[in-house]
Amino acid sequence: MAQGQQQLQLHIMAVEDDKGGNSNEHTSVNNESKIPQGRKFKWWFLIATYIFFALSGQSAGTLLGRLYFEKGGKSKWIGALVQLVGFPILLPFYFFLKSKKINPTTKGPSVLILALVCVTLGLLITGSCFLTSFGLLYLPVSTFSLICASQLGFTALFSFFLNSQKFTPFIINSIVLVTISSTLLVFQANDNSEGTSNTGRVSQGKYAAGFICTVGASAGTGLSLALTQFAFNKVIRKKTYIVVMDVIIYESLVATCAALVGLFASGEWKGLKREMDEFEIGKASYVMILVWTSIAWQVFVIGAVGLIFEVSSLFSNVISALGLPVIQVLAVIVFHDRMHGLKVIAIVVALWGFVSYVYQHYLDDRRKSETEDPNASEAPKESVLLGRA
């Protein structure tokens, strides 16, 4: 974690220095992410770091969240809260950036604008986390993770309206395939052996409720990612790492407060002591599961927001979709989830969609490199279609 933060700090210095020394090349505030010309290794190493954070945080957070319900946890608001409350671990890094006063001549967004953005995103994230918790309560991890792949389609849809996301045949193919991979699960038999909870097998009604809530969580996540990109491009109109950290910290604070209100308003807090006492693997394990779930989701937040900042919200979602096979394999090992034929087909289709998107991103990156090459006078002057939205 500390090593990853150090790498982020080194990149911040490079980006800010580049912005300060090449102001003529960075006057536009449109939706293109400007990348230094000498980025080839450095930029891809940073992206790889973000991808690792996103995938590892997502996998660990999802599995630990399911383990909480599997071993006796019952509170859906606690399941939502642990996805949000870990943001204080980012504060040392945040204050370190503040103390460096990087690029102090650049004026940041007003307090009112920042507050509006953080409150809106924070409340939306709270709702998504609650629906996620509801889905994990009634669905096995393998089914849950496949349904979550549908957030790629939701993000693309919202980005089309909010961020003028342009589509190519490969991108459309990717969205359709990943969406189909989760839709396939609707047609599986809703046998009770597929859905389990801490009370045993769940009814078809609860299974359906878990399915619908997970789809709702995917839609909410897709909207929050698209709105995050929109906020940086159109509202805040400034994309530096300090501003990104401002948004992460304050929206997490808002979301945490909202989840606490939900916890107390619902009355679930009254049963927490009994829940801890009756937890199957002990009180210490109960606390450690909640703590490490919080940390895992904050690692995911760093990776996901970093990918939005450097590439796009759609790419961030595609990376989340890449975590499907990892979560699937771990779910089979840890929770003994059944891996029947329909799930295998869904995984293959989701991976096919991911590869389709990555290939389009490769084409766009190569096209951009050709247009920026001063020796490539005959290179076509096409704009990058995707990956910098």
Side-chain angles (χ1 to χ4, degrees):
M1 183 69 174
Q3 183 178 2
Q5 291 177 347
Q6 182 181 9
Q7 293 295 337
L8 297 182
Q9 174 62 14
L10 292 174
H11 185 73
I12 292 169
M13 299 296 292
V15 170
E16 295 295 345
D17 289 342
D18 182 79
K19 289 182 178 179
N22 298 282
S23 58
N24 293 334
E25 297 176 9
H26 296 275
T27 56
S28 174
V29 290
N30 58 17
N31 62 350
E32 294 185 358
S33 298
K34 301 300 183 181
I35 301 175
Q37 290 183 354
R39 64 164 168 61
K40 283 301 180 184
F41 172 78
K42 197 173 181 181
W43 187 79
W44 280 109
F45 179 80
L46 182 70
I47 294 302
T49 303
Y50 282 142
I51 290 174
F52 174 76
F53 283 176
L55 293 180
S56 59
Q58 178 189 31
S59 300
T62 301
L63 292 171
L64 288 172
R66 178 58 195 173
L67 184 63
Y68 163 75
F69 291 115
E70 188 76 17
K71 298 303 180 182
K74 300 179 180 66
S75 173
K76 294 180 285 294
W77 279 110
I78 283 292
L81 184 62
V82 293
Q83 300 176 52
L84 305 165
V85 74
F87 74 92
I89 68 174
L90 303 176
L91 291 177
F93 179 53
Y94 175 70
F95 289 123
F96 175 75
L97 295 185
K98 288 285 190 179
S99 66
K100 288 297 182 180
K101 297 181 180 179
I102 300 173
N103 202 11
T105 59
T106 304
K107 185 178 180 181
S110 69
V111 175
L112 181 61
I113 290 177
L114 187 61
L116 178 63
V117 169
C118 292
V119 169
T120 301
L121 292 176
L123 293 177
L124 182 59
I125 291 170
T126 303
S128 298
C129 289
F130 177 77
L131 293 175
T132 296
S133 179
F134 203 104
L136 279 173
L137 176 61
Y138 294 128
L139 297 179
V141 173
S142 54
T143 301
F144 172 85
S145 61
L146 281 172
I147 299 172
C148 285
S150 63
Q151 75 182 41
L152 177 65
F154 287 116
T155 304
L157 177 63
F158 293 129
S159 293
F160 176 79
F161 292 105
L162 295 175
N163 302 313
S164 301
Q165 178 72 60
K166 297 180 181 180
F167 294 109
T168 67
F170 285 112
I171 296 306
I172 294 174
N173 180 65
S174 173
I175 294 169
V176 170
L177 288 175
V178 174
T179 303
I180 288 175
S181 72
S182 57
T183 306
L184 281 174
L185 299 178
V186 176
F187 302 102
Q188 73 179 22
N190 274 349
D191 55 56
N192 288 339
S193 63
E194 183 64 15
T196 60
S197 71
N198 52 41
T199 58
R201 297 180 178 180
V202 302
S203 65
Q204 290 189 359
K206 290 182 178 179
Y207 185 94
F211 191 100
I212 293 172
C213 286
T214 305
V215 172
S218 298
T221 302
L223 179 58
S224 65
L225 288 172
L227 280 175
T228 299
Q229 185 178 344
F230 177 82
F232 281 128
N233 292 335
K234 303 298 183 181
V235 181
I236 298 176
R237 303 178 74 86
K238 179 188 176 187
K239 293 198 294 184
T240 66
Y241 275 95
I242 291 181
V243 174
V244 170
M245 289 300 296
D246 281 336
V247 172
I248 292 175
I249 295 297
Y250 294 127
E251 75 178 17
S252 297
L253 177 61
V254 171
T256 299
C257 292
L260 284 172
V261 170
L263 176 65
F264 284 97
S266 66
E268 289 185 354
W269 66 275
K270 298 177 182 178
L272 294 182
K273 185 179 185 303
R274 180 179 178 182
E275 182 180 290
M276 182 185 298
D277 293 337
E278 296 178 353
F279 201 65
E280 291 183 16
I281 52 180
K283 294 181 181 180
S285 297
Y286 179 89
V287 174
M288 292 304 296
I289 286 174
L290 297 183
V291 169
W292 283 107
T293 303
S294 299
I295 294 175
W297 282 118
Q298 291 310 306
V299 172
F300 169 75
V301 166
I302 294 174
V305 176
L307 291 174
I308 294 173
F309 180 80
E310 291 291 344
V311 190
S312 73
S313 58
L314 188 58
F315 183 74
S316 180
N317 259 288
V318 172
I319 293 302
S320 296
L322 180 61
L324 286 173
V326 178
I327 297 176
Q328 293 284 333
V329 172
L330 292 175
V332 171
I333 296 173
V334 177
F335 300 112
H336 308 290
D337 285 359
R338 296 196 313 161
M339 189 58 63
H340 50 67
L342 194 59
K343 281 187 180 178
V344 173
I345 294 174
I347 293 173
V348 172
V349 172
L351 289 176
W352 184 6
F354 171 78
V355 171
S356 180
Y357 178 85
V358 169
Y359 182 69
Q360 178 63 61
H361 185 67
Y362 163 76
L363 294 178
D364 293 336
D365 187 67
R366 187 176 65 177
R367 184 183 297 112
K368 184 174 179 62
S369 298
E370 290 174 352
T371 57
E372 290 179 346
D373 186 355
N375 297 322
S377 58
E378 299 301 323
K381 303 299 182 182
E382 301 176 53
S383 61
V384 178
L385 297 178
L386 196 62
R388 302 288 180 268

